Structure formats: structure tokens, C-alpha cells
Amino acid sequence: MPKPVVPEERRRRRRPTKSGTVLSERLIVETALRMLREHGSAGLTARRLGLALDADPSTLYRYFRGMDELTLAIGDALIGQALDGWRPTGEWRADLRAVGLRIHAAYVAHPQAAVLTTSRVTGRANELAADEAVLDVLRTAGFPLPDTVRIYHAFIDQTLAFAALDAASLALPSAALRADEDMWRSTYARLPRTTHPRIAEAAPLLAARMADSAYPTALEMLLDSAAAQLAAMGS
């Protein structure tokens, strides 16, 4: 059976580690993020995390029931980073754009962590705050509840899907990432018009665009669709 998680107030009374560090959930998550960035998901284990924190690995289970719960906390921390400093302006389209771009950027800044967490539902405070914010922006803008839920669903899933796709590319070994990016110039740009006329026609533009994320474009298309619906409701 997993060990019970010790309440936060009791954790704070524990003695520091050998190096004088006082453990906290936040410190563990920040250290796990650093380890993921440096060593990838295979390098994140309770034993290695304990070594990095100068603590017995069993100590981690006073904060998390297991590594899966730590994974959820990591995902929630990324959402917290995205929301840090954001405040709604009252202009629904600008607010949704800002939230989406912030969440996408927070995940892409930690690609190894994003690969682990974008498909998870944490139920933690930051995730709940983000969901509440998006739903409130849409309802305040005047969308009916069924449409609010539909747009929210598309908005969140699109944001996380692009974050996962872009993070997966960034998590590749550098040689593989460069090879993928070069493919648009080394192969696509050289296809003859006789066999691939549309690719040959678009090749220069493809080479210029395909190395970048399509998320900003997809986000604007979603917002255009929502705005058109809202305008039709008022006509």
C-alpha cells in the first residue's frame, strides 16, 4: 500500500537534509523539472531525485504518493508558470489569446516535462484556476453555456495538442531535430514540378514556415470562428 501523504504543516517541521535544505513540494517539483530538462524522462526516478535533493528517496513519499502524483504536480506547476502575472482585460479574444500562448509557451519551455504531462488531468489548483478563467472569459463575453463548453474544449485541447507536438520535436536529439528541419530544404525543395507540382510550388514557403509552430495560426482560426458565432448571435 502507498504511504499516506503527510500534511504540509507537518512536513515543514522535519529536519533539513544533510546539506541543510528544507524540503518542500515546490522544491521537489523544481528539481524534477531540472532533471527532466537535463536527463529526460528516463532520468527521473525517486532514487535520482533523492540524490539531487540530498535526501533519502523514501522522504519523497511524504510529499507524493508516487512518481505519478509527482508527474501531475509537474504538469500543474507548468500551468502555474503560464498563469503567473496574467490578468483578464475584459476583451475576451485578447484574453483567450494570451492564456493560450502562455500555456503553450510554458510547456514548450520544458519539452521533456510537456511530453509527460500534456495528456494528463491533474485536478490541482493551477489547472482548476486556468479552467475557471477560460470558462469565465467565454461566459462573460456572452457565449451560451453549451457553446462555452464546446469552445473551451476545443481551446484547451488545441493548446495542449500543439504543446505536445512542439515539445516532442524539441525533445528529440539535436541531430534528429536538425535533420527533420532540413528535410524541407533537402528533399521537399528539390521535388520536380512534373511529379509534385503543388509541393514544388509551395516549397519555399513550406521551408520558411514548417520549422515554426502552427499554434498561433490555429489559435487565431479558432478565435475567428468563435467571434463569428458571437457576432451572428447579436445580428
Side-chain angles (χ1 to χ4, degrees), residues 10 17 25 36 47 76 112 114-115 140 155 161 164 184 204 208 215 221:
R10 287 179 55 193
T17 63
E25 180 174 311
L36 284 168
R47 184 182 67 82
D76 197 58
Q112 298 283 0
V115 171
T140 302
F155 173 81
W184 297 103
Y215 176 64
M221 293 172 71

Side-chain angles (χ1 to χ4, degrees), residues 1 8 54 72 123 130 150 175 188 190:
M1 293 180 61
E8 181 68 26
D54 194 27
L72 298 181
R150 180 178 59 84
Y188 281 75
R190 297 179 181 177

Side-chain angles (χ1 to χ4, degrees), residues 164-175:
L165 176 66
D166 296 335
S169 294
L170 293 174
L172 289 171
S174 57

Side-chain angles (χ1 to χ4, degrees), residues 61-189:
Y61 295 101
R62 294 178 61 86
Y63 298 83
F64 303 99
R65 291 183 176 87
M67 294 301 289
D68 189 66
E69 188 174 30
L70 173 59
T71 298
L72 298 181
I74 291 170
D76 197 58
L78 295 180
I79 297 174
Q81 291 178 14
L83 291 180
D84 186 28
W86 177 82
R87 297 292 183 275
T89 66
E91 204 293 290
W92 72 268
R93 182 167 180 149
D95 289 340
L96 284 187
R97 181 188 298 111
V99 170
L101 292 174
R102 278 170 166 263
I103 292 175
H104 179 266
Y107 278 106
V108 171
H110 299 276
Q112 298 283 0
V115 171
L116 283 179
T117 62
T118 46
S119 63
R120 304 300 303 276
V121 180
T122 75
R124 287 173 164 256
N126 292 319
E127 180 183 86
L128 296 176
D131 291 344
E132 179 70 16
V134 172
L135 291 168
D136 184 63
V137 166
L138 291 168
R139 288 293 278 156
T140 302
F143 289 97
L145 185 57
D147 292 324
T148 291
V149 172
R150 180 178 59 84
I151 296 169
Y152 155 83
H153 184 194
F155 173 81
I156 291 295
D157 277 12
Q158 181 189 72
T159 302
L160 294 177
F162 271 100
L165 176 66
D166 296 335
S169 294
L170 293 174
L172 289 171
S174 57
L177 180 58
R178 286 194 301 271
D180 283 359
E181 292 176 347
D182 289 344
M183 192 66 67
W184 297 103
R185 292 181 291 272
S186 64
T187 298
Y188 281 75

